Amino acid sequence: MWSLIRQSIAMRKVQSASVLVGVVLGVASLFALFLLYQGVFSGIATSISRDGADLLVIPSDAESSVSDDDLLFTGAPVTMYFSSSVADQIAGIDGVERVTGQFYGQTLDASCCSSIGAVRLVGYDASIDWVIRPWATMDGGEIPSQLVEGEVIIGSNVKGFGVDDPKVLGNPVTVVAVLAPTGTDLDDCILMDIDQVRAISAATDGYGHYWEKYGDPTGLLSAVLVSVDDGDQDAVAAKIEALGGVHVIKSAEAVKEVQGQMRVVFQVMLGAGVLLAVASLAKLFARFFSMAWDRRRELALYRAVGASRRDISRLIAGEAAVLVGAGSAVGLVLGVGLYRLMLGLLTTQGGFPFIACAPLVVAGGAVIIIVIFAIAGALAVAAPLRQAGRIDPASALQQVDID
Amino acid sequence: MSLDAFGITHSYDDDPVLADVQLSLAAESSVAIMGSSGCGKTTLLSVLGLLLAPRAGTVAFDGRSSSTMDEPERARLRGERIGFVFQTAQLVGSLRAWENVVVPARFRAGKAAGAAARARDLLDGFGLSDYAEHFPHQLSLGQRRRIALARALLLDPALVIADEPTDDLDADNARFVADTLFARTQEGGSLIVATHDRVLAERADAILMLEDGHLDPVSDT
Ligand SMILES: Nc1ncnc2c1ncn2[C@@H]1O[C@H](COP(=O)(O)OP(=O)(O)O)[C@@H](O)[C@H]1O
Ligand SMILES: [Mg+2]
């Protein structure tokens, strides 16, 4: 039986290949889409649930270098500064609940540090921060209420700190916490106490022109994160803007913007994915419908020499199962590749929070897609099977040879 | 295997072909069915071989009526106890010669193991050892018919039903096919052969003539 299935597939190479390719593309696109969708929306959901900042305030001269949605989640550490007095002014505004400042230091690489690849040094004040703290993973450690010299927190993508004597810019450091994946540039950051980063930056070669321009780093901030009392965010934002020299990003709007962009992207992709899936199932149906018809003499002969109706059904269903099974397996692998490709393309379009699916979710998605294709495949061969069941074994005795 | 058919009546649409046909074949014996073209020989063989359900009448094998069997059981009987030699070779074009021979074993669990070797033996015996890997379209008519014969004999059936097995064949091939079929009756097999070849028919234990839907013995001349 198995050898008949194999031969039948091998014999109809073009047809089999086109069905196979159809299933592969359908499964791959749906799977890639599933992984992306899960990643993007769990990223957004996590960002929202972590109750970050309502408003992000940055120097107005940095505005042109990054877009709002970059800044929202990532804090997109760019080299930009304003006076730390801005934070005090904002804290004094009516309706502002909490304020915390960040200082963006230099980009670090393997030449100076234990880290592998480029990471950003970010200084913040752990004693008043509420934005970073919730991202500390359970097993990644608890963030102390105050970071002392040499203590660092690393983002989920930062590698190379597993060694015995991790270093940052030649100084020995201790990793006190690892952050959960945020899907943002935060994943590529090393966080230190803000005053230590200021001191390091002040001493860094090539940064002198910044301090000439903005003043001594001890009095500077790169961004102020603001949480607003329940009430009118817009009014508070307007009051902050009125301080001058600052640009305010509203997180609710930025989230909406990112979600809106993603939704459009996903609708387009979903349309394409569904179309591909439907086309592949239509191909499957056509293949098996015409197969049962083209091969009715062959199937009649099988009946005549001892195949029961059930054997014939098994033959056809087995062929469909092999094509759908093999196509799904290849499709899942290809889907992962497609997912990486699309993720790469999307991230070049701007930062957005992305959290890769947990293995269990990936497996669940794979199972769901395989089940969908199995059911659709079964529906596609149902009619051909019924047709094959009616094949008259006596027609095998009629004159024409089987081709 | 003995075969008894009672009251076989069949018609296509409203064209009567068989009318109350009786036939009894003892185990290890042979019968030839003769008759003009279109008289219903193929139809009768289809009924006797359980390929076609007649409008009326029953067929019994070793005393057991086929009407008491379900579809899988009838399929098993066709596969294991009956070998068909069709009027044309009816080879499957996508399968090689030896794979065609092995087809009946593909549907019989447990028979697949020895089947390939048995197919090679049969092909060797039929002078086709060099053609086992050929596809049907690469073979002559005579070669194809011998392959079809090997397929019918693969599982050593108790009854062979052959429909004009020598039709269209040259003298050598025709003799080979006839010899092979009748050699089996010496070894305990039963044979029903439809033919209008008088010489072939006379090798059978009995000759029956199908005419106007009735099957009657031919008095020996
Ligand atoms: N499947 C069929 N449908 C309709 N008529 C058929 C069918 N098979 C055979 N017939 C008709 O039944 C008659 C007997 O055919 P058949 O049994 O093939 O005769 P034979 O084998 O003796 O030539 C013929 O008239 C033929 O046209
Ligand atoms: Mg005929």
Side-chain angles (χ1 to χ4, degrees):
Chain A
M1 182 73 90
W2 165 241
S3 63
L4 285 178
I5 291 172
R6 187 167 42 78
Q7 278 151 352
S8 172
I9 290 172
M11 210 44 214
R12 295 164 180 82
K13 283 194 184 68
V14 176
Q15 278 182 316
S16 300
S18 96
V19 170
L20 205 64
V21 166
V23 173
V24 165
L25 291 182
V27 168
S29 55
L30 285 185
F31 193 46
L33 211 58
F34 169 82
L35 295 177
L36 274 180
Y37 186 90
Q38 286 294 321
V40 168
F41 284 91
S42 67
I44 289 175
T46 313
S47 298
I48 293 169
S49 73
R50 296 281 167 112
D51 180 38
D54 296 319
L55 303 174
L56 181 71
V57 184
I58 57 170
S60 55
D61 58 353
E63 188 184 342
S64 56
S65 60
V66 276
S67 73
D68 287 3
D69 48 315
D70 277 338
L71 278 167
L72 168 64
F73 297 104
T74 65
V78 292
T79 319
M80 56 184 187
Y81 302 100
F82 49 26
S83 164
S84 54
S85 65
V86 172
D88 303 329
Q89 286 174 282
I90 294 171
I93 290 174
D94 252 8
V96 169
E97 184 192 16
R98 288 189 282 192
V99 168
T100 184
Q102 294 183 350
F103 183 94
Y104 300 150
Q106 66 211 94
T107 300
L108 309 173
D109 57 31
S111 66
C112 62
C113 309
S114 302
S115 53
I116 297 162
V119 295
R120 191 78 195 210
L121 188 59
V122 172
Y124 84 115
D125 187 346
S127 63
I128 56 168
D129 164 78
W130 75 95
V131 178
I132 305 294
R133 184 171 297 281
W135 293 90
T137 51
M138 299 293 272
D139 53 356
E142 174 92 4
I143 297 177
S145 59
Q146 184 72 55
L147 292 178
V148 301
E149 190 169 332
E151 285 183 336
V152 296
I153 295 162
I154 59 175
S156 63
N157 282 345
V158 177
K159 304 207 168 59
F161 279 82
V163 296
D164 284 343
D165 51 345
K167 285 191 172 65
V168 170
L169 293 165
N171 306 311
V173 294
T174 315
V175 176
V176 294
V178 179
L179 300 180
T182 63
T184 69
D185 283 356
L186 187 58
D187 297 345
D188 299 305
C189 286
I190 298 178
L191 296 134
M192 271 187 190
D193 181 66
I194 192 163
D195 287 326
Q196 203 186 346
V197 176
R198 283 173 173 146
I200 288 170
S201 299
T204 302
D205 289 344
Y207 271 56
H209 65 279
Y210 287 118
W211 318 137
E212 276 164 31
K213 184 173 169 192
Y214 295 108
D216 184 52
T218 48
L220 297 181
L221 283 176
S222 298
V224 176
L225 294 94
V226 180
S227 115
V228 177
D229 285 332
D230 290 342
D232 197 356
Q233 260 193 34
D234 289 344
V236 174
K239 282 183 210 158
I240 296 172
E241 289 270 13
L243 295 175
V246 300
H247 175 63
V248 181
I249 298 161
K250 294 176 211 142
S251 68
E253 273 172 24
V255 167
K256 251 183 242 149
E257 195 187 333
V258 172
Q259 272 178 325
Q261 284 170 353
M262 287 297 150
R263 193 154 291 131
V264 172
V265 171
F266 275 111
Q267 270 161 4
V268 171
M269 291 196 301
L270 192 68
V274 166
L275 232 87
L276 270 174
V278 167
S280 72
L281 292 172
K283 222 177 266 169
L284 199 70
F285 177 79
R287 156 77 198 276
F288 282 95
F289 199 77
S290 68
M291 181 183 95
W293 178 250
D294 294 345
R295 295 174 67 195
R296 66 198 186 284
R297 303 195 54 78
E298 177 190 339
L299 297 177
L301 172 86
Y302 294 158
R303 291 289 312 276
V305 300
S308 63
R309 286 208 172 89
R310 234 178 117 203
D311 291 330
I312 299 295
S313 301
R314 280 207 205 117
L315 196 63
I316 294 177
E319 211 175 308
V322 166
L323 289 176
V324 172
S328 302
V330 176
L332 289 179
V333 173
L334 199 74
V336 173
L338 194 65
Y339 153 74
R340 297 228 168 103
L341 189 79
M342 293 206 283
L343 185 58
L345 287 176
L346 282 174
T347 42
T348 61
Q349 298 304 304
F352 59 90
F354 189 90
I355 296 179
C357 298
L360 206 66
V361 176
V362 174
V367 167
I368 289 170
I369 287 168
I370 287 176
V371 166
I372 289 175
F373 268 74
I375 290 173
L379 291 177
V381 295
L385 279 182
R386 219 175 308 118
Q387 198 189 26
R390 284 197 297 263
I391 280 172
D392 174 14
S395 62
L397 277 95
Q398 280 157 10
Q399 301 253 345
V400 193
D401 262 328
I402 305 166
D403 35 44
Chain B
M1 186 162 68
S2 71
L3 181 149
D4 295 281
F6 312 97
I8 304 294
T9 299
H10 195 72
S11 54
Y12 293 106
D13 302 321
D14 286 328
D15 267 347
V17 180
L18 303 173
D20 196 21
V21 168
Q22 322 287 332
L23 181 121
S24 281
L25 177 70
E28 304 176 28
S29 65
S30 57
V31 63
I33 296 167
M34 299 193 69
S36 56
S37 191
C39 71
K41 299 184 294 298
T42 298
T43 304
L44 178 58
L45 294 189
S46 303
V47 171
L48 298 179
L50 302 184
L51 298 177
L52 180 67
R55 297 281 157 110
T58 55
V59 185
F61 298 87
D62 284 338
R64 181 142 183 256
S65 168
S66 66
S67 58
T68 65
M69 304 176 186
D70 58 9
E71 191 267 333
E73 201 175 352
R74 285 197 295 272
R76 189 164 67 241
L77 185 82
R78 281 202 300 273
E80 289 176 0
R81 319 275 330 259
I82 303 176
F84 290 96
V85 180
F86 306 106
Q87 201 163 347
T88 54
Q90 301 290 353
L91 300 182
V92 178
S94 58
L95 303 181
R96 296 172 189 282
W98 76 268
E99 291 167 339
N100 264 289
V101 175
V102 150
V103 161
R106 296 284 190 226
F107 301 101
R108 302 266 75 81
K111 296 257 162 116
R118 166 112 173 107
R120 303 270 175 184
D121 285 349
L122 282 165
L123 290 176
D124 287 352
F126 289 7
L128 292 168
S129 30
D130 295 340
Y131 300 93
E133 298 292 335
H134 284 51
F135 285 99
H137 68 89
Q138 300 165 317
L139 299 167
S140 74
L141 178 76
Q143 289 168 331
R144 289 205 294 270
R145 296 279 286 273
R146 278 186 277 165
I147 287 162
L149 185 61
R151 178 179 63 198
L153 303 182
L154 180 78
L155 297 181
D156 207 12
L159 168 67
V160 172
I161 296 178
D163 192 4
E164 308 202 27
T166 58
D167 195 38
D168 295 336
L169 292 184
D170 58 56
D172 284 348
N173 273 307
R175 193 174 329 104
F176 177 82
V177 168
D179 287 350
T180 306
L181 288 174
F182 281 101
R184 285 182 43 79
T185 62
Q186 312 293 303
E187 296 157 13
S190 313
L191 173 67
I192 301 174
V193 57
T195 182
H196 36 231
D197 178 350
R198 188 92 212 170
V199 180
L200 177 68
E202 278 176 349
R203 296 177 68 170
D205 298 332
I207 304 177
L208 302 172
M209 182 67 75
L210 184 60
E211 212 170 356
D212 299 329
H214 300 285
L215 190 63
D216 298 304
V218 177
S219 47
D220 279 324
T221 45

